[in-house]
Amino acid sequence: MASSFRCFLVLYFLLSSLYFTQISRAEEDIVEEGILYIDGFSSIAKIDEDFICATLDWWPPSKCDYGTCSWGNASLLNLDLSNKVFFNAIRAFSPLKIRLGGTLQDKLIYQTKYDKQPCTPFLHDDTELFKFTQGCLPLSRWDELNEFFKKTGAKVTFGLNTLNGKTIASDGRTALGDWDSSNAASLIRYTVSRGYTIHGWELGNELNGNGIGPAISADQYAYDVIALHKLVQDIYKGKDVVPLILAPGGIFDAIWFPKFINKASNSLQVVTHHIYSVGGGNDTSLVQKILKPSHLDEESKYLQNLQGILRNSGTSAVAWVGESGGVYNSGRNLVSNSFVSGFWYLDQIGMSATFDTKTYCRQTLVGGNYGLLNTTTFHPNPDYYGALLWHRLMGRNVLSAHFQGMKKLRSYTHCSKSSEGIALMLINMHGSTTVNISLSVTLANAKESPMLLQVTNDQNPRHGIEREEYHLTAKDGNLHSQTVLLNGKELNVDNFGRIPLLKPIRVNPSDPISIAPLSIVFVHIPTIQVPACSMSTREYM
């Protein structure tokens, strides 16, 4: 009896295994059709040519979150500027915007020629604001950083200490008093005297409204920005190029931001805000959030609200995402530095561009568990390659596009960056469904009825020209992998520390665009030429 029961169990498990294997295979073979509708008459937004930006921070090795110390020697004070991979990773963008700043910038002082006190680094102290003592930037290190950025061709913005001169009220929350600009003025004058090029000076980090530390009122912050603008105008008087003034570098606040912008608008060129929309580094549901379109969509209301504030204020200032790491408190290992991170990162890049955001800065270039580069080796994490493909393919003019089909397929369309045609970024967040996409391009002039330009590429007289596709997938299908495949081949730096070439596959333009499950695809289609992407439109819009 026992022997028969054992035989029954063995047969049951064999049949069950076969059944579930067949179900799994069936799921893997699911293919859905969809149509991407593109309006080619005019663009809906325009981004900077150097839209992609990354940050470098001040956190020392003793910075820890949830018991994990993930920063290593990634601080601007001790970063290895001689590393070939690091150098080549920046050079590959030509140029890469880099924002120097972060929480500790508001506790940083700058060495001057006349300082008699030693210039000491940040030291961990739980009793201090942000749990670190005041730190100091040596002039010799500032020289080294500027020489490095010059060689790499980076465009640098620098975050200044807006707490300098202020006192903290008895509530432990409110920062009172005017910004003391004397130390910043010394650094700026030194920078100009040495001929260093700074793209912009930014005031403060997350000290507005519901910030991470002391809060500065909108009126006071505007007053401080006006002072910075005057200071920069005085120091750069007679220079051909004057750096941008950026602020406030904070989390969006629907009440605080309009007050600030209305008062500071004449002194401000860029309104910077920060986004951490996925969750904290200790959140166990990060992957589920990253792959959930409705969660990713929540950020769109803040991007839209900020654009509304800018329009209503009449200011000429533009919006940047000045810092975004997705997962706050230094990220999470094997999530925000792995392949799965690309689903929120690249989606948020695309979404930000549709709302006329001019520049998007990733926290970080290197440092923490959310760097584009590995903190120890400087080798690129998967998001680096996604950012590089965006930078090379997606042009300034953003087109209106709507995908009709599976809800987990995200799509973004731009004019091609440096050649004819259009460029697409397509993100398939579904775990088992391939999506075959056809294109429908129209010219929806508001004064006339929409005109169908093209439904299939076969109708285009230049149909013989192939399109270029770049398919990004995780190694071994593991979303937590830190190795990415481009068209099935691993991307790795070589023995000389050189960034690999990103080569496309060439596809017959009449074939549908096939997006595999859990993959990210960039497509360049030179055969689709629309008014929004004409050379005159690119130049004057």
Side-chain angles (χ1 to χ4, degrees):
M1 185 70 178
S3 176
S4 298
F5 182 69
R6 283 196 297 270
C7 289
F8 171 77
L9 284 178
V10 170
L11 180 61
Y12 171 79
F13 284 118
L14 284 173
L15 291 174
S16 297
S17 175
L18 178 61
Y19 171 77
F20 286 112
T21 298
Q22 290 174 334
I23 291 294
S24 175
R25 286 175 179 171
E27 288 179 346
E28 290 174 1
D29 293 335
I30 293 174
V31 177
E32 289 192 11
E33 309 295 323
I35 300 175
L36 180 60
Y37 294 91
I38 301 168
D39 179 5
F41 183 74
S42 61
S43 62
I44 59 171
K46 189 167 186 176
I47 61 175
D48 284 347
E49 189 78 17
D50 42 20
F51 175 81
I52 295 294
C53 167
T55 70
L56 290 172
D57 215 310
W58 300 101
W59 290 119
S62 52
K63 160 67 171 171
C64 305
D65 300 275
Y66 316 116
T68 299
C69 306
S70 59
W71 284 85
N73 290 322
S75 168
L76 284 160
L77 294 176
N78 57 27
L79 192 60
D80 181 6
L81 303 179
S82 66
N83 186 282
K84 292 182 179 179
V85 180
F86 186 44
F87 179 89
N88 290 331
I90 297 174
R91 282 284 295 173
F93 282 83
S94 297
L96 177 64
K97 273 182 182 157
I98 299 181
R99 178 225 183 200
L100 311 183
T103 301
L104 292 186
Q105 77 179 54
D106 288 308
K107 298 202 71 173
L108 184 71
I109 59 170
Y110 323 115
Q111 186 182 43
T112 70
K113 298 177 183 178
Y114 311 105
D115 281 349
K116 296 180 180 179
Q117 298 297 322
C119 192
T120 57
F122 295 105
L123 298 175
H124 183 265
D125 186 338
D126 285 333
T127 66
E128 290 275 350
L129 178 64
F130 307 131
K131 297 185 177 182
F132 282 89
T133 62
Q134 180 177 270
C136 177
L137 171 62
L139 288 179
S140 59
R141 182 60 174 177
W142 186 230
D143 292 336
E144 293 169 355
L145 288 167
N146 277 281
E147 290 299 327
F148 175 78
F149 293 135
K150 182 179 179 180
K151 290 177 182 177
T152 60
K155 295 177 70 172
V156 172
T157 63
F158 186 92
L160 296 164
N161 177 357
T162 195
L163 288 181
N164 198 38
K166 297 185 186 296
T167 58
I168 308 302
S170 57
D171 62 4
R173 173 66 180 156
T174 307
L176 301 173
D178 297 340
W179 173 53
D180 180 350
S181 63
S182 58
N183 191 224
S186 175
L187 178 69
I188 296 171
R189 287 194 178 93
Y190 179 82
T191 301
V192 172
S193 72
R194 300 283 291 183
Y196 300 146
T197 300
I198 299 296
H199 186 59
W201 296 100
E202 184 177 25
L203 192 61
N205 181 84
E206 296 185 8
L207 299 175
N208 64 291
N210 297 315
I212 58 172
I216 303 173
S217 71
D219 287 351
Q220 180 63 58
Y221 218 122
Y223 184 83
D224 294 339
V225 166
I226 292 168
L228 172 60
H229 177 255
K230 184 179 184 303
L231 178 68
V232 169
Q233 290 295 317
D234 289 344
I235 295 176
Y236 284 85
K237 187 175 182 179
K239 301 294 181 182
D240 292 336
V241 178
V242 179
L244 302 172
I245 303 297
L246 307 90
I251 304 299
F252 178 77
D253 183 307
I255 297 175
W256 192 96
F257 264 69
K259 291 180 180 178
F260 166 73
I261 292 169
N262 285 330
K263 288 188 176 291
S265 61
N266 292 333
S267 300
L268 192 63
Q269 285 80 56
V270 180
V271 176
T272 49
H273 68 115
H274 296 179
I275 302 176
Y276 285 90
S277 55
V278 181
N282 62 342
D283 190 333
T284 58
S285 60
L286 294 175
V287 173
Q288 293 92 321
K289 290 179 179 178
I290 287 172
L291 296 176
K292 187 177 181 181
S294 61
H295 181 80
L296 299 178
D297 283 339
E298 291 176 7
E299 197 58 42
S300 64
K301 60 186 178 184
Y302 302 112
L303 295 165
Q304 185 175 32
N305 285 348
L306 179 54
Q307 284 303 322
I309 292 168
L310 291 173
R311 283 194 302 270
N312 293 335
S313 71
T315 181
S316 60
V318 299
W320 286 17
V321 172
E323 181 182 313
S324 184
V327 181
Y328 57 84
N329 288 346
S330 302
R332 185 182 181 91
N333 190 35
L334 299 182
V335 175
S336 50
N337 55 10
S338 69
F339 184 82
V340 74
S341 176
F343 292 99
W344 80 262
Y345 173 51
L346 293 173
D347 183 69
Q348 197 169 93
I349 282 177
M351 182 190 300
S352 297
T354 65
F355 288 102
D356 211 34
T357 301
K358 303 303 184 183
T359 291
Y360 185 105
C361 300
R362 168 64 178 260
Q363 174 81 350
T364 61
L365 176 57
V366 60
N369 283 321
Y370 40 27
L372 293 177
L373 307 176
N374 181 281
T375 302
T376 304
T377 66
F378 294 98
H379 286 212
N381 287 321
D383 281 354
Y384 172 88
Y385 294 111
L388 187 55
L389 282 170
W390 173 286
H391 177 74
R392 291 178 176 178
L393 297 173
M394 307 295 277
R396 298 189 67 185
N397 288 7
V398 186
L399 304 183
S400 175
H402 169 69
F403 178 71
Q404 183 175 303
M406 188 185 70
K407 299 300 182 184
K408 282 205 163 189
L409 194 288
R410 314 281 276 191
S411 59
Y412 300 96
T413 305
H414 288 223
C415 296
S416 179
K417 187 163 191 176
S418 56
S419 58
E420 294 182 329
I422 64 172
L424 315 176
M425 181 176 70
L426 304 162
I427 305 171
N428 187 352
M429 298 180 181
H430 200 284
S432 58
T433 298
T434 295
V435 184
N436 287 337
I437 298 175
S438 300
L439 303 181
S440 177
V441 183
T442 59
L443 302 181
N445 187 341
K447 297 181 180 179
E448 303 173 6
S449 59
M451 178 180 68
L452 182 65
L453 177 69
Q454 176 178 329
V455 176
T456 68
N457 285 310
D458 284 333
Q459 296 176 359
N460 194 306
R462 304 177 67 215
H463 65 84
I465 299 176
E466 295 174 311
R467 69 171 182 258
E468 298 171 337
E469 296 184 358
Y470 305 77
H471 294 251
L472 299 176
T473 54
K475 184 179 181 181
D476 300 324
N478 178 11
L479 290 180
H480 299 281
S481 175
Q482 292 179 301
T483 301
V484 63
L485 308 182
L486 173 60
N487 300 323
K489 297 180 180 179
E490 281 191 32
L491 291 176
N492 294 299
V493 299
D494 64 16
N495 293 333
F496 299 98
R498 294 178 296 201
I499 302 300
L501 297 176
L502 303 182
K503 297 181 179 180
I505 56 172
R506 301 186 184 278
V507 180
N508 188 316
S510 65
D511 293 341
I513 303 170
S514 185
I515 316 299
L518 298 174
S519 70
I520 299 165
V521 181
F522 289 87
V523 185
H524 171 225
I525 311 176
T527 54
I528 297 181
Q529 298 181 37
V530 293
C533 301
S534 68
M535 292 308 296
S536 59
T537 304
R538 292 178 190 221
E539 184 175 353
Y540 294 112
M541 280 197 64

